[in-house]
Structures are given as structure tokens and as C-alpha cells.
Amino acid sequence: MNRFEAGTRLRGSEVLTLAMRTVRMILATDTTFGAATTVVTPVLAAAARLRH
């Protein structure tokens, strides 16, 4: 039972970490700068991939 509870806590913390990453992304893109960055970043990443 102890190992099961430890595993559940670990999985729960991983899910919470991923959820908070999503929340931070939403909050970051809620500003004008964040929205512009969200649009520009994939374009820069694609350009970088083409160069390599």
C-alpha cells in the first residue's frame, strides 16, 4: 500500500507540473508582448530548423 501511495503522489505531482506549465503559457500569452512572442517563436524555430 505504501508503494502505491508513493506512486500516486509522484504521478499527481507530474500531472500538476504539466497543468501549471499550461497555465503559465496561457498567462504569458495574455499580454500584448506574450501574444506577439507566441506568433513569432514558431516562425523562428522553423527558420532555425531550415538552416540546419
Side-chain angles (χ1 to χ4, degrees):
M1 189 67 166
N2 194 18
R3 279 186 280 176
F4 172 76
E5 289 177 355
T8 301
R9 281 192 296 276
L10 179 62
R11 287 187 297 277
S13 67
E14 290 170 351
V15 168
L16 183 60
T17 300
L18 289 173
M20 288 308 297
R21 185 178 301 159
T22 302
V23 169
R24 282 192 298 274
M25 178 62 92
I26 290 168
L27 291 175
T29 58
D30 195 30
T31 64
T32 304
F33 176 74
T37 303
T38 303
V39 170
V40 172
T41 303
V43 173
L44 294 175
R49 273 184 268 144
L50 289 174
R51 281 186 277 153
H52 291 284

